[in-house]
Amino acid sequence: MRRRPLLAAPALLAGCSVLPERPYVETLRFPLSPERPPGGAGERPRRVLLVRMMRAAPGQDRRGLRSLRPDGTEAVEFYAEWVAPPAEAAEEALRRWLAASGRFVAVVSPGTRARVDLVLETELTALIADLGASEARAGISAVLLREGALSADVLLQRAILGRAPLSGAQPVQMAAAMAAALAAALAELEAALAPYA
């Protein structure tokens, strides 16, 4: 009597599987760290720049790589993402980029005790691989301020769009192109800030 339930157990367990039906797909994670060309401004820096936290425009706070299909619809990769949220990574890249430029005595973060001459507020407005146009785009809006005791003067307001060629639709190619587009945007932003340094 006891053998019948034991003989039926393998048949019952065959319908219940703990193993997933789909194979495991490893998530690819890419750093968003654009390469700055070597060389600095070559001038003697005079000002201290405070870079505030970069805001993320709607849709720019997700880690998944974003692409624009030829039909105009957007796709977000679930198995290919940035190591950190794009706005956070772009802010760190911006801070490193401007510090390496040699245009400022120091590039500091909020909470610093240093006396600050200029304040830069930014927002990441775009970071996408356009498959139809075969290009990647990175957008940054920036406002440069000179803060006084009671008010702040706006010195510069700029919307920047960096572009880079896209060689394919694979995540590795998209991530590399988006990092290059961000590098182009940071280079343009550096040039815009140069007269105020």
Side-chain angles (χ1 to χ4, degrees), residues 3 12 40 112 159 167 173 175 192:
R3 288 185 183 175
L12 290 173
T112 183
S167 60
Q173 296 163 322

Side-chain angles (χ1 to χ4, degrees), residues 104-142:
F104 301 97
V105 173
V107 178
V108 296
S109 304
T112 183
R113 295 180 63 189
R115 185 181 62 77
V116 173
D117 301 302
L118 301 168
V119 176
L120 182 63
E121 296 180 348
T122 56
E123 181 178 24
L124 183 66
T125 57
L127 187 62
I128 196 162
D130 188 337
L131 303 179
S134 295
E135 73 171 10
R137 294 189 293 272
I140 298 174
S141 65

Side-chain angles (χ1 to χ4, degrees), residues 153-168:
D153 297 326
V154 176
L155 302 177
L156 173 76
Q157 183 172 10
R158 186 69 57 90
I160 295 168
L161 188 63
R163 299 172 187 268
L166 178 63
S167 60

Side-chain angles (χ1 to χ4, degrees), residues 10-176:
L12 290 173
L13 291 176
C16 302
S17 176
V18 178
L19 300 175
E21 293 179 18
R22 297 180 187 167
Y24 171 75
V25 178
E26 183 180 358
T27 301
L28 302 173
R29 290 184 176 84
F30 300 97
L32 183 57
S33 53
E35 295 289 327
R36 186 183 194 287
E43 305 162 0
R44 184 170 179 188
R46 298 173 291 149
R47 304 201 194 302
V48 174
L49 176 69
L50 169 67
V51 177
R52 289 204 172 129
M53 183 178 76
M54 185 179 283
R55 293 181 302 276
Q60 300 302 320
D61 52 353
R62 299 174 70 177
R63 289 189 188 203
L65 300 185
R66 295 175 62 237
S67 61
L68 187 64
R69 298 183 185 114
D71 65 0
T73 58
E74 282 192 13
V76 178
E77 298 287 334
F78 292 103
Y79 298 107
E81 63 184 22
W82 301 111
V83 172
E88 289 179 23
E91 175 196 335
E92 179 59 27
L94 170 63
R95 191 173 285 111
R96 284 187 286 108
W97 187 285
L98 294 176
S101 73
R103 297 187 185 279
F104 301 97
V105 173
V107 178
V108 296
S109 304
T112 183
R113 295 180 63 189
R115 185 181 62 77
V116 173
D117 301 302
L118 301 168
V119 176
L120 182 63
E121 296 180 348
T122 56
E123 181 178 24
L124 183 66
T125 57
L127 187 62
I128 196 162
D130 188 337
L131 303 179
S134 295
E135 73 171 10
R137 294 189 293 272
I140 298 174
S141 65
V143 176
L144 183 66
L145 306 167
R146 181 184 293 123
E147 290 189 335
L150 300 174
S151 64
D153 297 326
V154 176
L155 302 177
L156 173 76
Q157 183 172 10
R158 186 69 57 90
I160 295 168
L161 188 63
R163 299 172 187 268
L166 178 63
S167 60
Q170 296 301 314
V172 174
Q173 296 163 322
M174 290 194 299

